[in-house]
Amino acid sequence: MCGIAGATRNLLGPGPERSLQRMNEVMVHRGPDMGEVVVDSDMGLCHRRLSIIDLSEDGRQPMVSGDGRYTIVFNGEIYNFQALRNELAAKGYEFRSRTDTEVLLALYADQGVASLQKIRGMYAYAIWDNKKKELFAARDRIGKKPFYYYHQGDRFAFASELKSILELDDIPTEIDYTAVLDYFKYLYVPHPKTIYKGISKLEPGHYLLYSDGKLTIREYWDVDFSSPSTSDSRELGEELFAIIRDAVECRLISDVPLGAFLSGGVDSSGIVALMAQICREPITTCTIGFNDKKHNEAVYAKAFAQKLNAKHHEQYIKDEPARIIKKLVWHFDEPFADSSMVPTYYVSKMARQHVTVALSGDGGDESFAGYEKYTIDSYENRVRELVPAALLKGICGVAGRFPQWNTLKRLHSLSSSALLDPAQAFYVTNSFITDQQAEQIFSDTFLQEVRGYDPAVHTLRYYQQANGTDHLSKILYTDLKLFLPGDILVKVDRMTMANSLEMRSPLLDHKVIEFAARLPSSLKLRNGEKKYLLKEVLRPLVGDEVLTRKKHGFTVPLNAWFRDELRDMAESSIFESEKMPLFFSRPGLQQIWDEHQRCTMNHGTLLWTVFMFSLWLEGPGTDSLQYGEESNA
C-alpha cells in the first residue's frame, strides 16, 4: 500500500521539488520504505512506497514507461496483474520489474481508459502523459483507496490524503458548512464533498482526465441489481462459494508476511477458514479483546483459530482512548466519527507487529444484508405497505404523547417512519442526529448558513438511482455507494495505513459484489435471518456455533467513556475552544452534556461526534473559520 500525490507546476512554487517532498513526507506512514518525487515543466508527482510485490529498487515510483512518455504513481494492488502481464508480453512488451505497477502502466499505454475494465483489485492511481500534457487518474470500483483533488482553473492537485494537498501554500481552506451538517447526520462527509470548499473526493468507480485547465470526470463501473437470478439456491450457493474462494486465493500473493484479522464473526471466520484450506503453512491471525464482555469477541476468535491450528495473536486493550484520540483525528484529515476507529487502530497496530498484509471480512454486510438495520427497515416497509396512512397517523399521535413508555416510544418511531417515503425513511432511520437536536446544539449563525440545505440529498440520490426490483435492493445499493466507501473503507484505510499495514478484503472483490447484486433479496434476508445464503455457503467452514452467535461488531463503550476516561478531555475540548461557538450553542451543548453526566439520557454517540469535531477544529488548516473567509494550510 502506498501514498500518491501530485500538482501542476504552477501550484508548486519556486521550489517544486521541496513542495513535492512536503506533500510526500506528511504521508510517510502510508509508505515508509521509499519516497520519490519527479517534476517537469507542467506536472510534479510524488510517491510513498510500502513494498509488497517485488521489494527491489525496480519497484520505485514515480515509474516512467520505457519510451519516457508516461509516468505513474499508484496506490493499491492489482490481483490479476500476472495474467495481464502475460497478455502484454505476448504483444511484445518487455518488463523491467515484477511489479503490478509496471503492468498497470503498460496496460494504460496499450489500451487507455478502456484498461480499467480489465483490472481487478483496489487502487487509486494517476498517469501523466507528457506528450498530450494530460493527467489520467482513477479510483477502484467500490472506493477502497482514497483520492482527493483540488481544481481551480489551470491549477490542479491530488493526493491520497487531504493533509498532503494542504501542504501546498496556495490551497484555500474555507470550511463548507453544509459538509459540517452532513458530518453530523452521517458521521462522515459524503463524497464527492470534503470539509473544504474547492477540494473534492473522486467518487468510487470513476476516472478523471485533466488537461489544459479542463477537468472531465466519468463513471466506468456501477452495481447492477436489475436482473435477479432465477437459478435455484443450491446452484447459486456453489457459484458464490467458488467466487469467494477465488477472491481469497488471488489476495494471497505477497512477498512479505501475510495474515488475517479474525473477529470471531461469520465473515472473518469464513475468510480465515478459506485461507487455511488454500495455504500450506499455518495462517497468522490477529484479534483484539475488551475486558467488557459486552464488547468482547476475542474468546470466540481464539477458539476458532485453535481449530484451524492458526498462529493466533491477541491483545486486550484497556480503556485509554485519550492517549490516541488526537493521533487518530490527525489521520482522518476531516471530521470523522465512527467510534470503531479506535479498535480498528489497535488491531492494525498489533497485526503490524507480525505481518505486513492482512485479509479481512469487510464487505459481507453491505452486499448480503448483514446489518440489523436491514431487518428493521424491511419491517417498516411492510407496515408502510399494509397499514393505511390515516391509521398510522392516529397511532403516531397517540404513542407520541407517552415518550416515557418504551413500548409506545418504539411504536411512535415505527409509525412515524412508516409514514415517510421509503427513501426518506431509510435516511431518517440511519441519521445520527435529529433535526430537533440540530436546532438545539447548533448556533443561530450556523443554522442560518445551512438553512434550506437537506443532507438527505446523498441518500436520496443513490436510492433513486438504484435499479433494484425491490426495497432491500435499493437500500443495499445505497449503502454500497454511500456508507461503505464513506465510512467503513475510510476507517479501514486510515487506521491500517496509520500503522503501515496493507488490508485486503475478498468480499469487496467486484466479482463478489456483482454476483451478490444478482441474488434475489430472499436469499439475503429471509424471515429475519440476515446474510442467509452467505451463511449457508460458509456453514461447512465455520460451523453452527459461529453462525448462530449474536453479531457484536467493533463497538466501544462510548456512554461510559464520557462519564469516565474521556470526561475531562472532552469537556475541555468542547467547552473551552474559541472556535466551537462559531458552530454551536453553548446552552444547547451544555444541556446534552449535563443529561449524559446525570445518566438521565445516554448521548454517547452525539457527544463523540461533537468531540471529534472539536478536536479536528484544533488541528491545522482551520485558523480562519468565519464563513466566506479563507486561510492557508
Side-chain angles (χ1 to χ4, degrees):
M1 209 54 56
C2 305
I4 64 174
T8 49
R9 179 65 177 76
N10 55 11
L11 270 174
L12 296 174
E17 290 85 0
R18 181 56 194 149
S19 295
L20 288 167
Q21 287 168 358
R22 291 202 316 269
M23 295 179 78
N24 225 13
E25 289 167 2
V26 78
M27 296 190 299
V28 67
H29 50 278
R30 297 190 73 91
D33 298 330
M34 297 180 187
E36 304 289 334
V37 305
V38 298
V39 62
D40 62 20
S41 59
D42 299 282
M43 181 69 65
L45 301 173
C46 58
H47 183 266
R48 293 298 325 183
R49 187 184 186 202
L50 177 63
S51 303
I52 303 294
I53 302 292
D54 189 346
L55 311 185
S56 73
E57 294 290 312
D58 294 335
R60 282 188 176 274
Q61 297 184 49
M63 183 179 288
V64 183
S65 60
D67 61 4
R69 176 175 175 177
Y70 300 103
T71 304
I72 185 173
V73 286
F74 166 51
N75 170 28
E77 297 289 347
I78 305 302
Y79 301 122
N80 63 335
F81 81 95
Q82 293 169 325
L84 294 172
R85 178 191 172 106
N86 293 337
E87 290 180 17
L88 291 164
K91 292 183 177 182
Y93 191 92
E94 296 182 3
F95 289 91
R96 298 164 292 170
S97 73
R98 297 186 296 107
T99 65
D100 53 353
T101 305
E102 189 178 5
V103 172
L104 200 56
L105 183 59
L107 191 66
Y108 183 77
D110 183 61
Q111 301 181 21
V113 171
S115 62
L116 286 167
Q117 302 303 326
K118 286 201 164 186
I119 58 180
R120 180 183 189 182
M122 55 179 177
Y123 48 84
Y125 64 100
I127 297 176
W128 172 243
D129 182 341
N130 66 20
K131 181 179 179 180
K132 294 175 65 176
K133 304 299 179 185
E134 179 179 77
L135 183 78
F136 164 82
R139 191 176 179 201
D140 65 65
R141 293 172 177 84
I142 206 66
K144 293 184 279 290
K145 295 293 100 185
F147 191 97
Y148 294 90
Y149 67 91
Y150 165 78
H151 175 229
Q152 183 63 48
D154 63 351
R155 295 147 66 90
F156 184 85
F158 70 90
S160 297
E161 297 187 4
L162 263 173
K163 64 174 67 69
S164 181
I165 295 177
L166 297 182
E167 284 295 315
L168 296 172
D169 292 332
D170 296 327
I171 301 296
T173 55
E174 179 186 343
I175 290 178
D176 182 342
Y177 277 36
T178 64
V180 175
L181 186 56
D182 287 335
Y183 159 73
F184 274 87
K185 287 289 187 177
Y186 293 94
L187 305 187
Y188 58 91
V189 179
H191 56 250
K193 293 163 72 171
T194 71
I195 196 64
Y196 301 113
K197 291 185 176 181
I199 305 179
S200 303
K201 303 177 182 98
L202 181 62
E203 295 186 57
H206 285 66
Y207 71 87
L208 65 79
L209 291 168
Y210 173 80
S211 179
D212 194 27
K214 182 180 179 181
L215 180 65
T216 302
I217 298 176
R218 295 283 185 270
E219 184 178 53
Y220 69 88
W221 182 83
D222 199 2
V223 192
D224 184 6
F225 281 82
S226 65
S227 303
S229 174
T230 57
S231 300
D232 64 59
S233 59
R234 171 182 249 176
E235 181 180 342
L236 290 172
E238 292 174 352
E239 189 175 354
L240 175 60
F241 179 82
I243 291 173
I244 293 176
R245 192 180 194 280
D246 178 60
V248 171
E249 187 167 14
C250 73
R251 283 165 174 76
L252 298 178
I253 301 172
S254 175
D255 292 335
V256 294
L258 179 147
F261 282 7
L262 180 59
S263 69
V266 175
D267 300 337
S268 68
S269 297
I271 297 302
V272 170
L274 282 169
M275 292 173 68
Q277 279 190 355
I278 298 166
C279 297
R280 296 179 181 178
E281 300 296 326
I283 302 301
T284 298
T285 54
C286 304
T287 192
I288 59 167
F290 299 89
N291 292 320
D292 182 351
K293 292 183 179 180
K294 181 180 178 181
H295 301 277
N296 184 44
E297 287 188 299
V299 290
Y300 308 124
K302 183 177 182 178
F304 189 75
Q306 289 175 338
K307 288 182 179 179
L308 299 177
N309 294 316
K311 296 179 181 178
H312 188 62
H313 304 275
E314 67 177 16
Q315 177 182 334
Y316 276 73
I317 65 171
K318 299 178 181 179
D319 287 343
E320 298 176 335
R323 294 178 56 189
I324 64 165
I325 290 301
K326 287 188 176 181
K327 178 180 181 179
L328 303 194
V329 170
W330 181 85
H331 276 288
F332 284 101
D333 292 336
E334 60 181 344
F336 185 83
D338 183 337
S339 59
S340 63
M341 68 170 79
V342 177
T344 303
Y345 172 81
Y346 277 119
V347 73
S348 299
K349 182 178 180 180
M350 190 265 289
R352 188 63 176 88
Q353 298 171 13
H354 308 283
V355 299
T356 309
V357 177
L359 273 64
S360 80
D362 290 330
D365 291 323
E366 292 81 9
S367 282
F368 297 94
Y371 294 124
E372 182 62 27
K373 66 179 180 179
Y374 300 135
T375 304
I376 295 171
D377 196 81
S378 176
Y379 183 64
E380 288 179 353
N381 203 48
R382 287 182 61 193
V383 171
R384 182 180 296 111
E385 293 172 347
L386 298 174
V387 180
L391 180 56
L392 284 173
K393 289 180 181 178
I395 295 172
C396 186
V398 173
R401 297 174 190 169
F402 305 96
Q404 69 276 19
W405 294 358
N406 286 334
T407 301
L408 291 180
K409 184 178 180 179
R410 288 194 292 268
L411 187 59
H412 178 264
S413 176
L414 171 63
S415 56
S416 59
S417 293
L419 282 168
L420 297 173
D421 170 85
Q424 185 70 29
F426 184 64
Y427 161 72
V428 171
T429 301
N430 293 285
S431 297
F432 291 89
I433 183 175
T434 66
D435 291 342
Q436 292 76 18
Q437 287 174 320
E439 291 286 339
Q440 176 185 355
I441 71 168
F442 288 122
S443 68
D444 291 340
T445 301
F446 176 83
L447 290 172
Q448 184 59 39
E449 294 291 353
V450 299
R451 194 74 66 191
Y453 173 72
D454 185 1
V457 63
H458 303 288
T459 298
L460 301 185
R461 166 192 173 192
Y462 289 114
Y463 187 94
Q464 293 163 1
Q465 182 178 305
N467 61 5
T469 57
D470 55 40
H471 180 62
L472 180 61
S473 295
K474 291 177 183 294
I475 61 176
L476 288 176
Y477 176 87
T478 301
D479 273 352
L480 283 166
K481 303 292 278 191
L482 183 64
F483 170 68
L484 180 65
D487 185 322
I488 302 299
L489 299 183
V490 171
K491 174 192 66 181
V492 171
D493 175 81
R494 301 309 187 276
M495 296 297 89
T496 55
M497 284 288 90
N499 293 284
S500 303
L501 176 74
E502 176 173 300
M503 176 61 67
R504 300 176 179 177
S505 306
L507 296 179
L508 288 173
D509 190 292
H510 76 275
K511 293 186 178 182
V512 175
I513 293 172
E514 289 172 347
F515 182 82
R518 292 192 293 109
L519 290 176
S521 290
S522 61
L523 291 180
K524 298 171 187 173
L525 185 61
R526 173 172 290 190
N527 299 324
E529 180 68 27
K530 300 177 287 294
K531 293 192 289 194
Y532 174 77
L533 185 62
L534 180 63
K535 288 180 178 179
E536 291 303 304
V537 165
L538 296 179
R539 187 181 296 277
L541 292 172
V542 303
D544 291 340
E545 183 180 355
V546 173
L547 293 177
T548 56
R549 187 182 304 129
K550 184 178 180 180
K551 182 181 178 68
H552 280 262
F554 252 5
T555 57
V556 296
L558 286 181
N559 290 324
W561 277 1
F562 282 103
R563 294 181 182 120
D564 191 359
E565 291 88 354
L566 286 179
R567 177 172 177 167
D568 293 341
M569 182 182 180
E571 188 170 24
S572 173
S573 181
I574 292 171
F575 294 106
E576 296 179 15
S577 168
E578 294 180 359
K579 299 173 182 178
M580 289 288 281
L582 295 171
F583 299 91
F584 298 99
S585 160
R586 170 70 182 247
L589 284 181
Q590 192 69 58
Q591 181 179 343
I592 295 291
W593 179 267
D594 291 343
E595 287 175 351
H596 189 81
Q597 298 306 323
R598 292 195 302 265
C599 298
T600 56
M601 295 285 285
N602 285 323
H603 292 299
T605 298
L606 179 54
L607 288 174
W608 177 263
T609 310
V610 174
F611 182 39
M612 292 299 99
F613 186 79
S614 68
L615 291 178
W616 174 79
L617 281 178
E618 296 174 9
T622 57
D623 293 334
S624 180
L625 298 172
Q626 295 295 342
Y627 190 79
E629 294 183 4
E630 296 181 358
S631 66
N632 293 331

